Amino acid sequence: EPEVTQTPSHQVTQMGQEVILRCVPISNHLYFYWYRQILGQKVEFLVSFYNNEISEKSEIFDDQFSVERPDGSNFTLKIRSTKLEDSAMYFCASSVSRGVGNEQFFGPGTRLTVL
Amino acid sequence: ILNVEQSPQSLHVQEGDSTNFTCSFPSSNFYALHWYRWETAKSPEALFVMTLNGDEKKKGRISATLNTKEGYSYLYIKGSQPEDSATYLCASAAYSGAGSYQLTFGKGTKLSVIP
């Protein structure tokens, strides 16, 4: 069964460093999303992406964050200069169609720890 | 920003018991309600996507109902099994008027089924 994959499963970085989190969405899906969950808190929407551009972003997704689909399979989230408060589990998701009336398929997450 | 609440926070049931949990969400501009099942160290798995008031959906022993006028959804599990042990997340979306939507998650209900 097709699934969303994410690498790495765990990333440890120093404050101020850049990190890139990678996702491979399901191959025939066209819409991609990033979410995060800070430990003990709710899962939060970060950004949605379609046709090589951002469809929607939350107020969390500031200038420190960027997303890219560098080739036909990968979807990446870059954090330019990490802060302690960026420590969280980051989930990638994809869907066949646009809009939240459609099922989203989630990856297993990347746990980011900023020291 | 929507406020999505789930109750109870956690639940322990005996194998064979039936159980249910609640998700409450703002009813204004409602668009969709998602239920996810999330086992530790795995990807959140979509159970249901519901959009219509009065919707009832079923997958095996799990079913869900939706009341968009009063802003709640119930998830039912009939004859709980140990493999049902997981965190059950709900997420709601409201139409923002801008033609795109964000999922807002609750904190989840953690179900433990005791053999």
Side-chain angles (χ1 to χ4, degrees):
Chain A
E1 189 173 322
E3 57 183 23
V4 176
T5 59
Q6 291 185 242
T7 54
S9 57
H10 192 185
Q11 172 100 37
V12 181
T13 190
Q14 294 289 328
M15 192 168 57
Q17 296 296 305
E18 175 183 285
V19 294
I20 297 176
L21 309 182
R22 291 184 166 79
C23 168
V24 179
I26 294 173
S27 62
N28 64 331
H29 287 189
L30 300 176
Y31 298 88
F32 315 116
Y33 314 84
W34 283 102
Y35 296 85
R36 77 171 186 191
Q37 186 187 36
I38 296 171
L39 190 64
Q41 297 187 23
K42 296 179 179 181
V43 174
E44 301 171 291
F45 169 81
L46 293 178
V47 67
S48 60
F49 189 86
Y50 167 69
N51 201 25
N52 280 321
E53 58 183 32
I54 290 173
S55 301
E56 189 172 16
K57 58 184 181 180
S58 71
E59 55 199 33
I60 302 168
F61 194 88
D62 60 22
D63 292 344
Q64 294 286 12
F65 292 90
S66 62
V67 288
E68 195 179 28
R69 188 149 162 86
D71 53 43
S73 58
N74 289 284
F75 178 50
T76 62
L77 174 69
K78 183 193 288 186
I79 309 175
R80 264 181 264 286
S81 176
T82 50
K83 307 184 190 95
L84 295 176
E85 55 265 37
D86 294 327
S87 294
M89 182 76 95
Y90 288 81
F91 291 99
C92 171
S94 67
S95 63
V96 172
S97 302
R98 185 173 185 263
V100 292
N102 299 285
E103 186 175 339
Q104 295 184 18
F105 292 78
F106 280 74
T110 292
R111 179 164 296 285
L112 176 65
T113 302
V114 182
L115 302 174
Chain B
I1 297 176
L2 301 183
N3 191 25
V4 178
E5 299 293 337
Q6 291 187 248
S7 62
Q9 201 169 354
S10 65
L11 194 55
H12 291 78
V13 302
Q14 291 288 335
E15 182 176 353
D17 285 352
S18 294
T19 187
N20 64 85
F21 352 114
T22 306
C23 173
S24 60
F25 53 88
S27 55
S28 58
N29 299 321
F30 170 84
Y31 186 76
L33 193 284
H34 291 222
W35 279 102
Y36 290 89
R37 180 173 175 278
W38 188 12
E39 286 182 74
T40 305
K42 292 189 177 179
S43 308
E45 173 199 351
L47 290 172
F48 306 112
V49 178
M50 308 171 80
T51 56
L52 298 175
N53 184 45
D55 234 356
E56 287 190 37
K57 294 209 172 181
K58 190 174 178 185
K59 188 183 278 192
R61 293 179 292 99
I62 304 177
S63 60
T65 61
L66 179 67
N67 182 322
T68 63
K69 294 191 187 311
E70 295 180 42
Y72 64 84
S73 174
Y74 294 135
L75 188 81
Y76 300 91
I77 302 178
K78 188 177 174 183
S80 304
Q81 299 296 309
E83 57 265 30
D84 296 329
S85 297
T87 296
Y88 291 83
L89 295 173
C90 76
S92 180
Y95 177 58
S96 68
S100 57
Y101 321 96
Q102 299 182 14
L103 279 180
T104 301
F105 282 81
K107 247 187 163 179
T109 293
K110 186 172 181 179
L111 174 67
S112 301
V113 181
I114 305 159

